[in-house]
Amino acid sequence: MPGHFEPVPGGGAAVALDEVEISIIRSLAVQLLELIGPGPGGEVSDDPLAELFAEGPSEPPADPVLHRLFPDAYGGPGAPEGRAAQDEFQAHSAEFRRFTENDLRAGKRDDALAVVRSLDGLGPVAGAGAVLQLTPEDSVRWMRALNDLRLAIGTRLDITDEEDTDLLYRLPDEDPRKPMVMAYLWLGGLQETLVETLLP
């Protein structure tokens, strides 16, 4: 079990984590929460119906990581060329973002919070570490959160395709990106084994 998730009887997954690994994952999840930000208005609404119909932003986020986590729904490679077509795609993207981004942000917040709460539930960890056991529902939340963390780190590392990933393995130890690269690759391994536990 060390370093990878394994299925547990009755569904869910388990992984052995040491104190440093727990600290890294928790810190990254908290940073992701800070980046995503609070919900509309910065606090929980007393009126769930009003929150349901609250409009989100229509402009894409300026931060490249947030733009990767909340991409435009229209346009990009394969979009028709020409100013009129691009303007139309931009208008559709703005409208789509206005009615979906708040929900997407809430979902990503919930997933990152599930990671933090799971790790905090382990209590003080020292020495050999602890075994984290996840329910099937928490396994799915963890899978999505690990994906978001990798997207965030990958964006900061400017990874756009598989060739970029191959180059990461050859970075010299003195490269300042090395710790982030190691986290990116390690989280990828965790995510892959977690996905395997969810397969029928």
Side-chain angles (χ1 to χ4, degrees), residues 5 17 21-30 32-33 107-122 132 134 137-149 187 190 194:
F5 279 97
L17 297 170
E21 292 168 333
I22 292 168
S23 175
I24 290 170
I25 297 172
R26 189 184 189 287
S27 173
L28 290 171
V30 168
L32 183 63
L33 283 166
K108 292 183 185 301
R109 262 194 307 274
D110 289 346
D111 293 338
L113 274 171
V115 168
V116 172
R117 289 176 179 144
S118 298
L119 295 174
D120 288 350
L122 294 173
L132 173 70
L134 301 175
E137 295 79 14
D138 277 337
S139 294
V140 172
R141 291 186 187 102
W142 265 73
M143 180 188 64
R144 290 190 302 242
L146 288 172
N147 186 62
D148 288 341
L149 290 173
L187 291 174
L190 280 178
L194 181 55

Side-chain angles (χ1 to χ4, degrees), residues 35 60-71 151-152 154-156 158:
L35 185 64
D63 186 298
V65 171
L66 288 176
H67 196 267
R68 182 69 183 91
L69 292 173
F70 307 105
L151 284 174
T155 302
R156 292 289 189 238
D158 203 23

Side-chain angles (χ1 to χ4, degrees), residues 3-197:
H4 62 273
F5 279 97
E6 291 184 0
V8 296
V15 63
L17 297 170
D18 64 30
E19 191 175 3
V20 172
E21 292 168 333
I22 292 168
S23 175
I24 290 170
I25 297 172
R26 189 184 189 287
S27 173
L28 290 171
V30 168
Q31 289 176 55
L32 183 63
L33 283 166
E34 291 171 352
L35 185 64
I36 292 170
E43 52 194 48
V44 177
S45 171
D46 292 332
D47 184 355
L49 194 58
E51 192 172 315
L52 179 66
F53 291 103
E55 292 185 9
S58 58
E59 295 294 319
D63 186 298
V65 171
L66 288 176
H67 196 267
R68 182 69 183 91
L69 292 173
F70 307 105
D72 290 323
Y74 300 94
E81 294 184 15
R83 182 67 184 174
Q86 297 213 351
D87 286 347
E88 184 178 350
F89 271 101
Q90 193 172 13
H92 288 312
S93 284
E95 190 74 358
F96 186 81
R97 182 179 295 281
R98 195 159 59 95
F99 291 108
T100 60
E101 187 168 313
N102 283 345
D103 284 344
L104 291 173
R105 282 182 183 255
K108 292 183 185 301
R109 262 194 307 274
D110 289 346
D111 293 338
L113 274 171
V115 168
V116 172
R117 289 176 179 144
S118 298
L119 295 174
D120 288 350
L122 294 173
V125 175
V131 175
L132 173 70
Q133 293 208 25
L134 301 175
T135 64
E137 295 79 14
D138 277 337
S139 294
V140 172
R141 291 186 187 102
W142 265 73
M143 180 188 64
R144 290 190 302 242
L146 288 172
N147 186 62
D148 288 341
L149 290 173
R150 292 191 76 241
L151 284 174
I153 295 171
T155 302
R156 292 289 189 238
L157 290 170
D158 203 23
I159 296 171
T160 56
D161 56 35
E162 197 61 38
E163 286 182 16
D164 294 333
T165 305
D166 292 340
L167 292 173
L168 298 179
Y169 288 100
R170 298 193 290 274
L171 278 181
D173 289 342
E174 60 272 13
D175 192 300
R177 297 170 295 171
K178 190 76 171 189
M180 201 182 301
V181 166
M182 297 304 292
Y184 177 81
L185 297 173
W186 172 60
L187 291 174
L190 280 178
Q191 182 185 13
E192 185 177 342
T193 59
L194 181 55
V195 168
E196 289 170 2
T197 71

